[in-house]
Amino acid sequence: MAKKTKNVESENLSDSVILTPQDQRTLAQILSMAQSIIETTAQKKEPSIAIPARSLSNVRFNATKKFLEIGSKKTSRDLFNLSQAKSFMQTLLVAKGSKQLIEMGKTSSIRGLFYMLRGDIKPTKEQTFNDQGECDPIIEDCEVLLDALREELHLFAEKKGDMVGDITVVDKGDEIDCSRMGSGGYAIPSIVEPSVIQFKKCGAKFILHVEKGTVWQRFNEDKFWKKHHCILTHGGGQPPRGVRRLLNRLHNELKLPVYCLLDNDPWGYYIYSVIKQGSINLAYESQRMAIPDACFIGLRSRDFERCQLSNSVKISLNDIDRKRAKQIAEYPWFAQKKEWQKEIEHMLKNGFKLEVEALISRSISYMTEEYVPQLLKEGSFLD
């Protein structure tokens, strides 16, 4: 006769904590995984976890949806496999830590979770996690395993990115008018899910996302967002997840077009690619982060001649730049687009790259008063 197994329940939920529908869903996913392991063990079978593979070979570009998505391949993590036992234990530890955070109604940085879970494995000299680099991939495994964003596991990363413009948001109950945030703007949080951030009022017509804070500062100081009725954002280079997720929400929920002003170099092209189609590493969350309709407004390879820039702004391409540019040209979402092929070929032919700040060589406010307004008027973008 089979032994009856005990159902796993949420036992540490405080009476003062009100779970959101998403919290309830994530908690149910964690408990379901734990229950499955208990039942497998009771049947005297080897406990294992099947995790969707996050390798390049399991990522594909969905031409219909126009973003990257993860495939159906899975990898098994088995308790009785000596090479997998520790990662099996670490996966359950991360799930347990997230369960505790949800039940307490609190969040933690990924660094904080590392310290929450780090400890000795007695009687050995081993530790549960040797360093942060060992913990981070397990967190990503739990995301795809539980079909939940890291932020839905109540984990956040360091803030990087700002926003200013004609929009009022409610951030954990506090109403914030992003048109009255001074020179610093509204710091975009790491967690921007609907349970945390709600959009109350918006008079903006579009979003202008710029690559760096220095460029954002020029646009903010010149009140570009006020003159052109837009929202101005930046992600400090490669935009972090919070910025990408917020852009996705603003685009889909408020129907705001997204225009990207990035450097004319392989790195700028890649940043645009990540915003538009998603990234290979986070292909399992492209639906909630990618913006297939985002447009590249500049900087363009033609702008050196068109804007009559001086030779002093040229930055010579090195071998790494050339190699990266050719790789990007082969991306499926760029390979079939003649305009993008011409753009990359033009940069390679030029033999140099340009930063957005190069426009300042014309005049301090050339980019805000002439360059971008003209492109918006002409509708001259790369898709």
Side-chain angles (χ1 to χ4, degrees), residues 348-362:
L348 290 172
K349 184 178 179 180
N350 281 346
F352 59 83
K353 52 191 177 182
L354 298 168
E355 294 185 332
V356 173
E357 291 93 331
L359 296 172
I360 294 176
S361 65
R362 282 289 306 272

Side-chain angles (χ1 to χ4, degrees), residues 50 237 252 293:
N252 289 303
D293 293 329

Side-chain angles (χ1 to χ4, degrees), residues 15 77 135 265 278 293 332 337 361:
D15 292 337
R77 190 161 290 171
C135 186
D265 63 12
D293 293 329
K337 293 185 177 180
S361 65

